[in-house]
Amino acid sequence: MFTADATLDAVSRGAILSSLSLLWVILLIRVNGLRSLSKMTNFDFIMTVAMGSLVAGGSQVTEWTDFLQVAIAMAALFAFQHIVARLRKASRTIEKVIQNEPILLMRNGVVLEEALRKSRVSEDDLFAKLREANVLRLSDVRAVVLETTGDVSVLHGKEMDKDLIRSVRSPADS
């Protein structure tokens, strides 16, 4: 693709094509906006993983037409994400179809065993997240939420505004 020497060509392709791929992703993010790889939703997370895979694939191609295909696939994913984000914003039904609901795992110092079971989160994993959040007493925990991205949010302190968990599903809601 770049030189007749196989080793030099492999090194050149790796360096040049991966750089071009990253520059293309940066341009697409500038056009589509910072939220593109934000991991705010499960769809965003999938987008991030797919972009990584496409950048890796783009750095390994041996023909320019293959590189063009990767670049077009990247642009198509960004366009699709943009369309889906607009549809989600416009329709609560589409939002519910595409997006998982966050799940309440703990409330006011009490572990919600049924929620742990349904979400397949172990108590050990929950306690690890509590330690990460510097929780010193379970009674200080107002809520622990398994977010739509798989992240765990720990809300602790003396009081909590109930609006923070208004869209969070509890085991009783299921």
Side-chain angles (χ1 to χ4, degrees):
M1 191 167 175
F2 292 107
T3 68
D5 180 76
T7 303
L8 184 57
D9 188 60
V11 170
S12 299
R13 275 188 296 121
I16 294 168
L17 296 177
S18 62
S19 297
L20 287 174
S21 294
L22 285 175
L23 288 172
W24 180 238
V25 170
I26 290 168
L27 177 67
L28 291 170
I29 291 170
R30 296 283 296 163
V31 169
N32 202 41
L34 287 175
R35 191 182 178 288
S36 300
L37 301 177
S38 67
K39 204 180 138 196
M40 290 174 67
T41 67
N42 54 0
F43 194 84
D44 297 333
F45 177 71
I46 293 166
M47 176 76 174
T48 302
V49 171
M51 274 306 120
S53 179
L54 285 169
V55 168
S59 67
Q60 298 173 15
V61 299
T62 56
E63 300 291 330
W64 283 109
T65 54
D66 295 338
F67 186 77
L68 179 63
Q69 182 180 357
V70 169
I72 289 170
M74 289 176 182
L77 281 175
F78 274 96
F80 185 65
Q81 182 191 37
H82 183 79
I83 290 166
V84 168
R86 284 183 167 267
L87 290 172
R88 282 182 53 227
K89 193 171 181 182
S91 168
R92 185 75 179 139
T93 303
I94 291 174
E95 169 78 13
K96 284 184 175 185
V97 168
I98 291 175
Q99 187 62 29
N100 293 324
E101 289 180 300
I103 300 168
L104 192 63
L105 301 177
M106 192 171 173
R107 180 74 188 265
N108 293 325
V110 177
V111 175
L112 304 175
E113 298 293 339
E114 186 179 343
L116 291 181
R117 185 182 56 74
K118 284 184 176 180
S119 60
R120 296 180 315 279
V121 173
S122 74
E123 196 170 82
D124 288 343
D125 291 338
L126 173 67
F127 287 154
K129 289 298 181 180
L130 293 173
R131 290 189 300 272
E132 269 182 30
N134 297 315
V135 170
L136 300 176
R137 286 185 299 272
L138 293 179
S139 61
D140 289 341
V141 176
R142 297 297 128 240
V144 176
V145 179
L146 178 60
E147 303 291 355
T148 61
T149 58
D151 292 331
V152 175
S153 297
V154 178
L155 307 171
H156 55 96
K158 298 258 186 253
E159 296 178 25
M160 176 187 70
D161 187 337
K162 292 189 184 349
D163 282 343
L164 289 172
I165 61 167
R166 72 170 174 240
S167 64
V168 177
R169 182 170 42 103
S170 72
D173 299 337
S174 300

